[in-house]
Amino acid sequence: VNGKTIYLFDDRDNNPDDSAVIKNEQFSFKVKNGKEPAVYALILKDINYPMLFVTGKEPVHFTTSVAAYPIASNVKGNDDTQAMQQYQKAFEPLIKRAQALNTEAKGIDPEDEPAKNAFRKNAEAFSQDVVNTGKTFIKAHPKNIASIWLLMNELRNRLEPEEFQQLFSSLDTSVQESAYGEGVTAYIKSLKANGVNIAADDFSQQDTKGQEVKLSSFRGKYVLVDFWASWCGPCRQENPNVVKAYHKYKDKNFTILGVSLDDNRDRWLRAINQDGLAWTQVSDLKGWGNEVAVQYGIQSIPANFLVDPTGKIIARNLRGEELEQKLEQLLK
């Protein structure tokens, strides 16, 4: 491979940081060592898959061949790089299967239902193998950046959010708190703010009489968690729709829990009265700082989510007609 170019990429941006031409079957790069370990990729021209390594105190040394790339026959260097290479080895057979599946997909006649079904089965079995291989690796490498890398790149779209979160929580704190871990934490937060089919995190806040009310106390019912405030014009305009839905379905295993982003108790109580909001209302009177709103990443109101009897969020931001249509469908 003398004369071939190899490129060095920093995972955090998409531009090559450096490149080298292979001479005497060798190449080397110098990488600045940051405060934290960072993932780098070595990309060999004409080969689809990068060889990954992680910066650390000691130099990293790979022995490999074009035929085996990105798998190395020998790796010297930090634990994180060793783990990254083990991950690449574990996934090598899966990558070959993915390529075979892609080729197979291209050859299927769109009219050929039996072939399409057979392909779907193969693809599902492949996806399950990716998940199993990934989970086995993560359990064996709780302290390595490779586990986070695998979680985000291989498993994220193949796991239910809850399982994804559990796997992340099973990692060592040092990995959870790394820069890569912070990326996952931000992703989980955005899931909580936008995701459906995920468990609704429990919360507790005081109602108009000062009694603590927990979301989990509504288990067994459909409950619409409705974020609003007396000072929010669009919320007050939406309230008649919510009132209508409440009275239509309140005897069919449905209720509402209002969470108000008010900061003035009198105005809050007056609005509940004026708009005829007959369901449980809670607030900590901290305005935009309302702890439940912060917990759920609420950026604008009115906002709501619908929780099913098992405590799962099944829909978000149902307004006007949509709210009644959804309830009609669920509570026939």
Side-chain angles (χ1 to χ4, degrees):
V1 284
N2 288 333
K4 240 189 204 274
T5 304
I6 190 160
Y7 298 90
L8 174 76
F9 278 77
D10 177 342
D11 158 61
R12 292 158 296 189
D13 59 45
N14 278 327
N15 301 318
D17 282 31
D18 205 348
S19 66
V21 175
I22 297 173
K23 290 182 185 149
N24 303 326
E25 303 287 325
Q26 288 177 341
F27 66 90
S28 73
F29 289 111
K30 278 195 167 57
V31 179
K32 282 199 288 289
N33 217 349
K35 287 197 288 282
E36 282 202 38
V39 178
Y40 279 82
L42 294 171
I43 295 180
L44 190 56
K45 216 173 165 207
D46 307 325
I47 293 183
N48 282 340
Y49 294 95
M51 182 180 262
L52 302 169
F53 71 92
V54 184
T55 56
K57 292 189 177 69
E58 59 212 283
V60 171
H61 190 275
F62 288 113
T63 311
T64 184
S65 66
V66 173
Y69 199 90
I71 305 301
S73 55
N74 189 10
V75 183
K76 291 194 180 98
N78 58 67
D79 280 354
D80 271 320
T81 294
Q82 300 277 2
M84 207 48 117
Q85 178 62 209
Q86 282 157 13
Y87 147 63
Q88 292 205 275
K89 267 190 186 145
F91 270 76
E92 190 199 20
L94 291 163
I95 286 170
K96 293 202 166 111
R97 268 173 70 188
Q99 288 167 329
L101 279 170
N102 288 340
T103 311
E104 188 189 332
K106 285 185 190 123
I108 293 174
D109 180 338
E111 302 298 308
D112 187 347
E113 287 303 323
K116 284 201 311 204
N117 285 336
F119 176 77
R120 228 172 264 130
K121 275 208 174 103
N122 285 343
E124 273 167 28
F126 167 75
S127 197
Q128 200 44 59
D129 287 346
V130 169
V131 168
N132 294 341
T133 306
K135 280 166 48 175
T136 304
F137 181 91
I138 288 169
K139 285 198 179 97
H141 299 86
K143 293 185 172 177
N144 294 115
I145 300 286
S147 288
I148 290 242
W149 179 273
L150 196 160
L151 202 51
M152 282 303 262
N153 290 290
E154 314 283 3
L155 301 187
R156 176 165 46 169
N157 300 325
R158 291 187 164 99
L159 290 177
E160 288 293 322
E162 278 170 77
E163 194 173 7
F164 179 87
Q165 213 177 324
Q166 281 163 358
L167 275 173
F168 178 62
S169 306
S170 74
L171 295 173
D172 194 73
T173 344
S174 62
V175 180
Q176 288 186 40
E177 288 168 3
S178 69
Y180 293 95
E182 280 168 15
V184 181
T185 303
Y187 167 70
I188 289 172
K189 214 170 175 181
S190 78
L191 270 185
K192 280 194 179 151
N194 310 300
V196 285
N197 295 328
I198 58 173
D201 279 354
D202 204 7
F203 62 80
S204 171
Q205 224 162 61
Q206 289 187 0
D207 68 8
T208 53
K209 295 189 181 70
Q211 300 290 320
E212 286 289 328
V213 176
K214 271 188 156 177
L215 173 61
S216 55
S217 66
F218 295 90
R219 255 317 134 75
K221 281 190 168 184
Y222 285 94
V223 56
L224 184 77
V225 179
D226 185 40
F227 295 89
W228 73 292
S230 67
W231 47 258
C232 156
C235 302
R236 304 292 295 270
Q237 282 167 347
E238 181 61 28
N239 274 345
N241 295 323
V242 186
V243 168
K244 194 172 152 222
Y246 175 73
H247 287 295
K248 191 167 172 187
Y249 293 103
K250 69 179 194 328
D251 300 326
K252 294 191 170 175
N253 206 30
F254 168 72
T255 191
I256 300 174
L257 175 57
V259 179
S260 159
L261 277 66
D262 271 277
D263 52 14
N264 177 308
R265 187 175 174 80
D266 293 337
R267 284 190 206 136
W268 174 43
L269 298 179
R270 196 178 317 134
I272 292 172
N273 205 13
Q274 283 171 343
D275 295 3
L277 312 181
W279 51 87
T280 307
Q281 290 284 347
V282 297
S283 182
D284 56 13
L285 298 173
K286 291 183 183 172
W288 276 112
N290 180 296
E291 283 176 18
V292 179
V294 171
Q295 177 182 348
Y296 275 96
I298 300 297
Q299 302 287 333
S300 66
I301 51 174
N304 62 39
F305 55 82
L306 183 62
V307 179
D308 77 0
T310 68
K312 242 187 190 171
I313 295 176
I314 52 169
R316 283 182 186 269
N317 296 327
L318 297 163
R319 303 262 164 82
E321 288 295 297
E322 262 185 306
L323 174 58
E324 278 202 46
Q325 284 163 1
K326 186 73 181 171
L327 294 172
E328 176 68 35
Q329 182 195 326
L330 292 166
L331 307 170
K332 283 191 184 80

